[in-house]
Amino acid sequence: MYTSNLKIKEGFTSYATTPLGGEYKMFIEESKDGPMDLFATAYNGCVSMCAKGYFVRAYGLKDLAVETELKVDYDNKEIVANVYVDRTEEELSSKDREGVLENIKLRCKVSHLLSDELDIQYNILPLEK
């Protein structure tokens, strides 16, 4: 189970804590990160860790760099995750791409909570150096 405690005192600045000691601050202001930014960051972290986890399990690549650009289009119900992996196009086989996608489907708990109405696209790409 996951839990969070949150307090709002002045304005709409919220302070959340987790049982493991995590502390998070969110705003509802145009000029600062708010709840959707925190969601996108959490989802991006989940996708990125699952992508890296595939390569650790398949090849033992613990130091492999992974960079993910996640775009959440709330109005159009679309999400695009471009997952860049420190592999060349030749090293990044279709088996690896499918393995990453299967690992995300299996292990990304954030994605398990998303609506079926969303159009979600994952692109597994080589990291440009």
Side-chain angles (χ1 to χ4, degrees):
M1 177 186 303
Y2 300 89
T3 62
S4 172
N5 295 309
L6 190 134
K7 295 178 183 177
I8 298 177
K9 291 183 181 179
E10 298 171 9
F12 288 98
T13 300
S14 61
Y15 299 89
T17 58
T18 64
L20 296 176
E23 295 182 2
Y24 304 93
K25 183 177 178 181
M26 291 182 293
F27 308 91
I28 300 179
E29 295 178 24
E30 293 278 332
S31 64
K32 298 182 181 178
D33 289 349
M36 282 301 295
D37 298 293
L38 189 58
F39 161 77
T41 300
Y43 184 30
N44 195 346
C46 197
V47 167
S48 299
M49 286 185 267
C50 288
K52 182 160 183 163
Y54 165 79
F55 287 97
V56 170
R57 286 179 185 84
Y59 303 104
L61 298 172
K62 293 180 182 178
D63 294 330
L64 180 76
V66 173
E67 296 179 16
T68 305
E69 175 188 47
L70 181 82
K71 295 179 184 178
V72 178
D73 183 344
Y74 177 81
D75 294 325
N76 294 307
K77 296 184 185 323
E78 296 176 345
I79 298 175
V80 176
N82 292 318
V83 181
Y84 298 96
V85 181
D86 193 12
R87 308 287 280 167
T88 65
E89 186 63 45
E90 294 77 28
E91 293 171 321
L92 196 58
S93 69
S94 61
K95 176 185 168 218
D96 289 332
R97 286 183 167 97
E98 296 213 6
V100 170
L101 295 176
E102 288 301 316
N103 208 42
I104 291 168
K105 288 178 188 175
L106 176 67
R107 300 178 192 279
C108 182
K109 293 180 174 127
V110 175
S111 70
H112 296 171
L113 299 173
L114 299 176
S115 169
D116 291 335
E117 294 177 17
L118 292 171
D119 178 21
I120 302 173
Q121 180 180 343
Y122 299 103
N123 301 306
I124 315 305
L125 305 161
L127 180 63
E128 301 285 328
K129 295 178 186 177

